[in-house]
Amino acid sequence: MTTFDTDLSSAELKQGMSRLFLKKRLMNFALPAAVLAYLAYVFFAFDVPGLWQKASLENARTLISDSYSYKTHVTRDNRSGAVSVAIEGERKGAYPDGTAPDWVALGTTTVIDLEDGHTVTFGPDTIAYAIPGYGTVRATPSRSAGVQAELPPGGVPEWINVSKNRLAVTTEAGRLTVTRNRAEVFRYFTGWELFFFTLDSPYYGMGAGELLQRAATGEAAAILNAFWTNKMWRHRDVAWAIAETLLMAFLGTIGAGLIALPLAFAATRNFMPFGVLRFAMRRMFDFLRGVDSLIWTVVLARAFGPGPLTGALAILVTDTGTFGKIFSEALENVDRKQIEGIASTGAGPVQRYRFGVIPQITPVLLSQLLYFLESNTRSATIIGAITGGGIGLLLTQAIITQKDWEEVAYYITLIILMVMLMDWFSGWLRRRLIQGDTGAARRKTDKGSPLLLP
């Protein structure tokens, strides 16, 4: 080889390396640029600036405050003059006739003390709201003339909404709304009122010490029953709904595992010699898991009607396809030597599967079953909202009302606790079933046993 050929080869090599480095530099620049371009497209395609303009921080603050507080409504019927007081404005939370909290003075003229100088007066004809630093707002409702409002001199502030038929005043102390037919004041308080006992319960308003004392003297069953049958928070219905949700997840997951395991043998190359049947079984698994469980829920609800069983069937159908794929892949990776060793003892096909195959795939089987059981606990909440069962139904009903956000917070808290409990339970069960033998061996070793572990 001449010196010229050597120089030419070196030049070609350098040129090739330069092109390679240039290509890599372009790729390192092009990929981030493509991602940024896509994000910019998404930003404008989904109208993110428009969504931000439509967002209402006031509504968000109201929603958040409603989740950890409650409102006590004082309502006056402008036609009859009757005044009622109810927590969250519900009949189940209404104070008995003639009674009210200490900040409401009932009478011919009802005076409502909203604290910090804010006072609302329900007179025979006129409703007045005294606001410190602003003055007194008066409203006279009439069936013929609507609502005649009188405001202090000056412009109308943004926290007052006044029209011919309605007056609304919103301050940090509370809210007053006056229409032709009624006047209503509500005041916020922190906490979940009536969570333990309703107003008609003899245990309402008692402290923890007094309750424990009464329980010790033989009233424990009555106290528990008063809590369990709470008409406002429906603890008994909520507990049953939680049980329905867990039942849907359990039946759907375990049922899918029991069905998918024998079908998975028909989808493996090393156990099913007929390619047509193997292909059909794999496509069936694809079809079952390819349709989302929510779609199966809608389809099955039309066929079987709403109920927890429909939700369990929807989970079962979807997970049968998923488990079928997972189990078949695990079966294709089993060790043939262990099966041959069982067969050498004269064992039949069923015994070979039982002692040579199942022990090998048991860790995968149990691990996947427990994981999907935990995951389906969350899915059963959404499915229950569609099929009419479980905690998902109660959550949906509370959201639809647009006012019971403290109940929404309660149900969400229970769902989170339920998922956390299932996560702990599945982890504990996984350790006991899959790692139990190894754990026992380690404990023996720690105690000075001669047992040696690899």
Side-chain angles (χ1 to χ4, degrees), residues 122-348:
F122 288 165
D125 300 315
T126 301
I127 293 93
Y129 186 178
I131 305 171
Y134 178 70
T136 301
V137 178
R138 292 181 173 85
T140 304
S142 171
R143 295 184 62 84
S144 58
V147 177
Q148 300 177 0
E150 300 177 18
L151 305 180
V156 179
E158 60 180 9
W159 41 271
I160 296 180
N161 190 321
V162 61
S163 65
K164 179 181 178 181
N165 298 316
R166 184 174 180 270
L167 169 68
V169 182
T170 304
T171 66
E172 66 278 4
R175 177 183 174 90
L176 167 67
T177 303
V178 182
T179 61
R180 293 184 179 186
N181 296 327
R182 71 176 187 174
E184 184 177 39
V185 173
F186 65 73
R187 180 180 173 188
Y188 276 102
F189 293 90
T190 303
W192 291 348
E193 183 69 351
L194 307 183
F195 181 80
F196 295 100
F197 307 106
T198 52
L199 292 169
D200 57 353
S201 172
Y203 305 107
Y204 173 74
M206 291 186 182
E210 186 176 359
L211 287 173
L212 290 175
Q213 183 179 2
R214 285 178 174 261
T217 58
E219 297 185 36
I223 294 173
L224 181 60
N225 182 69
F227 171 80
W228 189 246
T229 58
N230 187 315
K231 295 178 292 185
M232 194 81 170
W233 288 86
R234 302 181 298 170
H235 299 300
R236 177 171 54 188
D237 297 338
V238 171
W240 178 250
I242 290 287
E244 282 187 343
T245 301
L246 293 174
L247 184 63
M248 278 192 288
F250 180 81
L251 290 179
T253 307
I254 301 302
L258 294 175
I259 294 173
L261 181 59
L263 295 180
F265 282 91
T268 58
R269 299 179 182 275
N270 48 345
F271 292 101
M272 174 51 62
F274 303 107
V276 175
L277 183 58
R278 186 171 63 245
F279 176 83
M281 191 60 62
R282 286 181 175 273
R283 300 294 77 77
M284 185 188 73
F285 289 153
D286 293 340
F287 169 72
L288 293 178
R289 75 173 186 275
V291 180
D292 190 79
S293 58
L294 291 179
I295 299 177
W296 282 119
T297 302
V298 175
V299 173
L300 294 172
R302 294 294 300 271
F304 300 101
L309 181 60
T310 302
L313 288 175
I315 295 175
L316 184 147
V317 171
T318 305
D319 284 0
T320 297
T322 305
F323 286 153
K325 176 179 175 57
I326 294 173
F327 294 168
S328 62
E329 292 177 350
L331 288 169
E332 287 184 342
N333 294 316
V334 296
D335 186 4
R336 299 291 301 181
K337 294 181 179 180
Q338 186 170 337
I339 303 175
E340 293 171 358
I342 299 295
S344 65
T345 63

Side-chain angles (χ1 to χ4, degrees), residues 102-122:
D102 54 7
W103 50 275
V104 179
L106 299 176
T108 305
T109 298
T110 299
V111 180
I112 305 167
D113 182 12
L114 299 179
E115 293 188 347
D116 298 328
H118 292 259
T119 305
V120 178
T121 304
F122 288 165

Side-chain angles (χ1 to χ4, degrees), residues 43 46-59:
F43 183 81
F46 288 93
D47 191 21
V48 174
L51 292 176
W52 178 254
Q53 292 176 358
K54 295 176 184 177
S56 174
L57 296 180
E58 182 64 29
N59 290 340

Side-chain angles (χ1 to χ4, degrees), residues 259-432:
I259 294 173
L261 181 59
L263 295 180
F265 282 91
T268 58
R269 299 179 182 275
N270 48 345
F271 292 101
M272 174 51 62
F274 303 107
V276 175
L277 183 58
R278 186 171 63 245
F279 176 83
M281 191 60 62
R282 286 181 175 273
R283 300 294 77 77
M284 185 188 73
F285 289 153
D286 293 340
F287 169 72
L288 293 178
R289 75 173 186 275
V291 180
D292 190 79
S293 58
L294 291 179
I295 299 177
W296 282 119
T297 302
V298 175
V299 173
L300 294 172
R302 294 294 300 271
F304 300 101
L309 181 60
T310 302
L313 288 175
I315 295 175
L316 184 147
V317 171
T318 305
D319 284 0
T320 297
T322 305
F323 286 153
K325 176 179 175 57
I326 294 173
F327 294 168
S328 62
E329 292 177 350
L331 288 169
E332 287 184 342
N333 294 316
V334 296
D335 186 4
R336 299 291 301 181
K337 294 181 179 180
Q338 186 170 337
I339 303 175
E340 293 171 358
I342 299 295
S344 65
T345 63
V350 176
Q351 293 174 319
R352 290 199 296 268
Y353 291 160
R354 166 64 182 85
F355 297 102
V357 177
I358 298 300
Q360 296 188 58
I361 66 170
T362 295
V364 175
L365 187 149
L366 291 177
S367 178
Q368 294 298 327
L369 277 177
L370 293 174
Y371 170 76
F372 274 85
L373 178 61
E374 174 194 339
S375 177
N376 287 334
T377 303
R378 298 187 297 270
S379 301
T381 302
I382 306 301
I383 291 174
I386 300 175
T387 61
I391 193 66
L393 176 62
L394 298 181
L395 179 62
T396 305
Q397 290 175 343
I399 292 175
I400 289 175
T401 62
Q402 290 293 315
K403 64 177 184 178
D404 299 327
W405 290 106
E406 69 280 358
E407 290 189 22
V408 173
Y410 174 44
Y411 299 147
I412 291 176
T413 301
L414 289 178
I415 291 170
I416 294 173
L417 292 176
M418 179 179 64
V419 172
M420 291 172 61
L421 178 63
M422 288 302 300
D423 176 59
W424 170 83
F425 174 74
S426 63
W428 173 82
L429 198 59
R430 187 182 296 110
R431 288 191 298 271
R432 292 297 300 269

